[in-house]
Amino acid sequence: MVPTSNSNDGVLPHDLLHDILLRLPARPLCRFRAVCRPWRALLSDPRFADAHAARHPDPHVAVVVSGRLNSFGRELVDVYLVDASSGDVVKRVCAGRCERPNEVSTHGGMVLLVDNNQMLRVLDPASGAVPLVPDYKDHPNNCSFTLGRTASTGEYKVLRIRSDKDNWGERQVICCSVLTLGRGHLARWRNVPNPPQNVITERRLVAVVDGVAYFVLSMPYMHDRSGSDWIAAFDLEAEQWQPDLIGGPPETRNGVLRVSLAELRGSLVVAQDGHRAATLDLWFLLAGSGDGKVGQQHWSKQYTVTMPYHGRPWRLWEESAEPVVVLDDGRIVFWVWPRGSSRGGVMRVYDPITGGQTDVAAEAKCTHVGVYTGSLLRLP
């Protein structure tokens, strides 16, 4: 008698079945759990999920969508996990009532939602849980929230930046604080020093890379510094701002208004949007000085992408492209926002070898796009 733990209904040896299923995409494997109990046990094993994730490293795109109403007419927020290659929705997780999210921050396998009432919810797609962040009633207005993960311990932390307008209408940072997630009722906001210069907290001008959150300086401070050093960095583990600002790529020093920040392949990326040149340049901040010296960093232009919406003589109120993720085969996924809006848009896949671009998905009520790096086999 063959032991039940190694049984697969007599069709294939267990090891052979394991190797075959390991080669398949995650989406059909989720359906294969219904074939029989031995298959369900194998495909639900965390060790198999880890081995599958290592073999299929491509993440999924997390698209936050609002506008669906419940039976009481209240607006709900859903998080769609989308296959980055095909645009197919592989899972939808309801985040519940969120009163049109004012702000969303994603990192790794977690999503932070902030609604109009300054209530914070942390969504874990793997469990579907939407717990409220402790002390949510104490959040003042005019706050931004950035979710990140420390490099050494893997703890998730939220950086809260409060700002207000000065006499000239420019937003000035008033105070900063940090909260460590996962500590339940013991979690408390801790005050941290303010940045060395005033920063912009718009989502497209913020990126978290390897435990460091990067922000673009506000316009008056960039002009004061002649556009040389215009990126501030906050270390989530040390919970302090780095004393020195970071200089941007050379071609952005006179065009800071046309940039966005992103994390691609583990590096900080500045996307330089040149509408007149019909291009979108992606600059990667890489280790080393570029001339062989150790301990320094340098900017390297890795991609120049021609976008269909480029080539017009004006910049404002036009479509804008945001790099989301680089796939394992080298293709790049962009989210293209519609004219003059931060809502809706299409997911576009760019092939740097052929130069071809394919729109694989569209969502009219999208409010945020991020990356989900967890395994689908761990989702309920």
Side-chain angles (χ1 to χ4, degrees):
M1 178 71 70
V2 179
T4 303
S5 59
N6 293 325
S7 173
N8 53 64
D9 292 345
V11 178
L12 290 172
H14 183 273
D15 292 344
L16 181 58
L17 177 64
H18 180 282
D19 291 343
I20 292 175
L21 294 179
L22 202 60
R23 299 171 184 268
L24 300 180
R27 191 180 185 187
L29 291 181
C30 294
R31 297 197 298 267
F32 289 168
R33 288 172 174 166
V35 171
C36 59
R37 290 183 179 179
W39 280 39
R40 182 176 184 83
L42 172 61
L43 297 176
S44 301
D45 190 331
R47 293 170 296 181
F48 181 87
D50 293 339
H52 187 273
R55 192 182 185 99
H56 303 267
D58 280 351
H60 290 78
V61 178
V63 180
V64 179
V65 178
S66 61
R68 187 168 63 91
L69 303 180
N70 62 12
S71 58
F72 299 98
R74 303 285 187 173
E75 188 175 29
L76 301 176
V77 173
D78 296 306
V79 178
Y80 290 87
L81 300 182
V82 181
D83 185 282
S85 297
S86 65
D88 295 333
V89 176
V90 298
K91 185 175 182 64
R92 187 191 76 183
V93 180
C94 180
R97 178 184 169 188
C98 204
E99 297 293 344
R100 295 176 54 192
N102 259 348
E103 191 171 348
V104 184
S105 181
T106 57
H107 191 77
M110 305 287 279
V111 181
L112 177 70
L113 303 170
V114 186
D115 68 12
N116 286 340
N117 296 323
Q118 295 297 101
M119 294 176 62
L120 274 65
R121 304 165 185 264
V122 178
L123 172 65
D124 181 359
S127 64
V130 193
L132 291 175
V133 171
D135 298 333
Y136 68 90
K137 292 182 180 180
D138 295 333
H139 300 314
N141 293 325
N142 303 324
C143 285
S144 70
F145 301 87
T146 300
L147 175 68
R149 196 175 190 181
T150 60
S152 61
T153 65
E155 289 182 309
Y156 281 96
K157 294 186 177 182
V158 180
L159 171 63
R160 180 179 66 183
I161 300 179
R162 183 186 178 191
S163 61
D164 204 352
K165 291 184 177 181
D166 59 18
N167 294 333
W168 294 273
E170 294 290 340
R171 287 207 168 274
Q172 300 289 329
V173 173
I174 298 177
C175 59
C176 301
S177 52
V178 172
L179 177 77
T180 301
L181 301 180
R183 296 183 178 178
H185 67 281
L186 298 177
R188 293 292 184 271
W189 289 97
R190 301 178 296 279
N191 292 330
V192 297
N194 286 353
Q197 301 284 0
N198 204 50
V199 297
I200 303 175
T201 57
E202 291 181 27
R203 180 183 50 79
R204 298 181 206 180
L205 299 176
V206 179
V208 179
V209 183
D210 197 24
V212 178
Y214 296 91
F215 297 81
V216 172
L217 297 188
S218 63
M219 287 305 300
Y221 289 92
M222 287 190 291
H223 289 314
D224 291 343
R225 303 185 63 84
S226 301
S228 57
D229 301 339
W230 47 268
I231 300 176
F234 181 83
D235 189 318
L236 289 168
E237 184 168 359
E239 298 186 358
Q240 62 184 10
W241 294 89
Q242 296 180 2
D244 298 327
L245 298 173
I246 300 173
E251 294 182 16
T252 63
R253 291 179 181 174
N254 295 319
V256 180
L257 272 176
R258 298 192 299 272
V259 303
S260 61
L261 301 185
E263 184 274 328
L264 298 178
R265 292 193 313 213
S267 297
L268 174 65
V269 172
V270 170
Q272 166 73 355
D273 197 344
H275 269 61
R276 291 179 183 272
T279 59
L280 185 71
D281 295 331
L282 301 185
W283 293 83
F284 285 65
L285 185 61
L286 304 178
S289 62
D291 55 8
K293 296 181 180 179
V294 180
Q296 300 183 26
Q297 294 178 313
H298 72 284
W299 291 100
S300 173
K301 183 160 57 175
Q302 303 274 309
Y303 302 94
T304 296
V305 183
T306 300
M307 282 290 173
Y309 65 79
H310 283 79
R312 304 182 180 121
W314 55 86
R315 169 65 180 93
L316 297 177
W317 309 117
E318 286 302 311
E319 296 171 322
S320 59
E322 173 185 346
V324 180
V325 66
V326 178
L327 302 180
D328 193 45
D329 59 9
R331 291 180 299 161
I332 307 174
V333 178
F334 292 89
W335 188 269
V336 181
W337 299 93
R339 175 176 178 177
S341 174
S342 58
R343 190 180 179 96
V346 299
M347 191 166 78
R348 181 170 297 163
V349 179
Y350 166 75
D351 188 335
I353 298 178
T354 65
Q357 303 182 37
T358 305
D359 291 347
V360 298
E363 175 52 61
K365 297 182 179 180
C366 167
T367 59
H368 176 83
V369 176
V371 178
Y372 176 73
T373 57
S375 171
L376 291 182
L377 296 179
R378 290 185 175 272
L379 299 178

